[in-house]
Each structure stands twice: as C-alpha cells, then as structure tokens.
Amino acid sequence: MSTAKKILMVLTSHDQLGNTEHKTGFWVEEFAAPYYVFLDAGANITLASPNGGQPPIDPNSELPDFQTDATRRFDQDDAAKQQLATTLKLADLDASDYDAVFYPGGHGPLWDLTDNPQSISLLENFVAQNKPVAAVCHASAALLNVKQADGQLLVKGKAATGFTNSEEAAVQLTEVVPFLLEDELKARGADYQAVADWNPFAIQDGLMITGQNPASSEMAAEKVLQHLAG
C-alpha cells in the first residue's frame, strides 16, 4: 500500500476580468509554490477545474516582477505543464479519492468557483469526511458558500483570510471584481484576519486553511501537509 498523500488542486476556468478587455485566470505562483511543496513531500497531485483541460493563466502573473523560484521551476517543468494542460473536470471528482484539497487563487475563482455547485458540493464532502480544505488569496471565495453538516456556513465564526480590500485597491481592481473578498468573508461571520499587504500570512481553523495573498501560498500548502501528518 502506498502511503503517499493524495492532494487535489482545483483551478479556475474563468479568463475574463469582469467587463474589461483584460484577461484573468489563476496566478502562476499560487499554483506553482503549493504544487512543489506537495510534490517535494512525495504527495500524488491531481489537478482539476470546472471545465477541465488547460486552465487560463493570469497574464499579469507571468510578468518578471512576479517570478519566484517556484514559477521558474514550473517554466522548466514539462511534466507539470502537461498535467496542467489536462486538468480533470470538477463534476467527475469524488472527495473520497483524496486526502486534502487546495484552491490556488488569481481573480478567476471570484467568478467561477464562488457559487459553483460542483465545487461547493466537493468542498462540503471533504469537510464531511474530516479532510482539510485549503485556499489562497482570491480562492478563499470558493469557501464562502460551503456549509457544514449542521447547515451552518463553514467560515462562520472561523478564523479566515484572503486577498484584502487594500490589496485589491492596490491592484486597482476594486471596481472590477464582482465583490470584495474581505467584505464577503466578514458578511458571512468569518473572523477575518490579515497582516500588512503582500506579506505572507496563512491561518488554519479546524479543517479550513486560508492564505492571504500570493506570498502566502507556500505557507498555506505547508499547513496542509502538517495537518495530514497529524
């Protein structure tokens, strides 16, 4: 029997930045950093998205300013690129097959993973099976409408983080996004926490692990591994 942990990573399929002419998608670093944290720990990684196939990469995340060791490693990693090009469809997944789930951010998830019934159902099944659910940056939106077995919202009364209102203002997208993540987490009763903009911060409360921004993706992934190690 293999004891390797099975980790599912769920990416956005959404590539339009509101009604601007700009593209969005997932943020490369928020995928690459956790991917290699998991891979280097010996985990088996499955990638999925609402539509399956190649998820859209936010073109801004490929700019030189945002490159890290993890993104540079990904640039040279044909196996990872091939895996990314062939993500499974969310509808075909079963939480029973995995030990944990991780949602990388980028602005895309605000549009296609917040109210997505398949994503919500999947996350609810992970929680029901006592397995950790993790999200970083804008992907914390995927947790907003997830309920626990008792019908209460998962985030209610729990410490959580995600892209801050001030970070959204800094990237000048406050008027473009469908909602402000910080506001929505607070509106659902989350104990919203954050540190100074662009600094690493990840927090775990029960089965829920959230990271604030791209700099927090590795830290959030490490918390998943710590949880799985028990």
Side-chain angles (χ1 to χ4, degrees):
M1 279 289 291
S2 160
T3 54
K5 296 297 181 189
K6 296 200 277 291
I7 299 178
L8 176 65
M9 296 182 76
V10 177
L11 297 118
T12 181
S13 294
H14 184 87
D15 70 352
Q16 295 296 320
L17 192 59
N19 20 11
T20 68
E21 296 296 305
H22 297 289
K23 292 288 190 187
T24 188
F26 73 91
W27 198 258
V28 176
E29 204 276 338
E30 294 173 34
F31 161 73
Y35 181 86
Y36 291 118
V37 167
F38 297 146
L39 192 72
D40 293 345
N44 290 325
I45 306 165
T46 299
L47 305 180
S49 61
N51 297 345
Q54 173 73 50
I57 292 173
D58 185 320
N60 286 336
S61 73
E62 297 187 300
L63 296 173
D65 284 1
F66 303 116
Q67 301 319 299
T68 63
D69 288 346
T71 65
R72 285 185 282 269
R73 181 173 168 187
F74 174 67
D75 287 339
Q76 306 297 319
D77 188 341
D78 290 338
K81 287 180 187 172
Q82 176 59 27
Q83 191 177 5
L84 189 65
T86 53
T87 66
L88 304 179
K89 275 192 178 159
L90 264 185
D92 299 335
L93 301 177
D94 187 334
S96 312
D97 295 332
Y98 307 97
D99 298 301
V101 63
F102 189 102
Y103 281 61
H107 282 85
L110 296 180
W111 280 275
D112 73 340
L113 290 171
T114 305
D115 299 310
N116 186 309
Q118 291 161 344
S119 175
I120 291 169
S121 167
L122 183 73
L123 286 161
E124 288 176 347
N125 285 329
F126 269 94
V127 172
Q129 292 170 28
N130 203 34
K131 295 170 178 176
V133 296
V136 68
C137 201
H138 289 94
S140 294
L143 302 169
L144 286 172
N145 299 312
V146 174
K147 290 181 176 165
Q148 306 180 95
D150 61 4
Q152 290 280 348
L153 286 169
L154 176 66
V155 299
K156 188 178 178 186
K158 285 206 184 70
T161 190
F163 210 58
T164 66
N165 289 354
S166 55
E167 285 168 331
E168 203 67 82
V171 296
Q172 300 181 321
L173 290 173
T174 303
E175 305 303 322
V176 173
V177 292
F179 56 85
L180 291 170
L181 181 54
E182 175 180 334
D183 291 353
E184 289 301 318
L185 282 163
K186 289 174 176 171
R188 283 163 176 73
D191 170 17
Y192 181 83
Q193 301 184 19
V195 295
D197 290 358
W198 315 117
N199 282 274
F201 178 65
I203 191 161
Q204 176 169 10
D205 193 332
L207 294 170
M208 186 174 73
I209 295 164
T210 47
Q212 179 177 325
N213 49 32
S216 312
S217 44
E218 204 161 290
M219 190 184 291
E222 283 161 357
K223 286 188 182 293
V224 172
L225 291 178
Q226 285 159 9
H227 184 94
L228 292 176

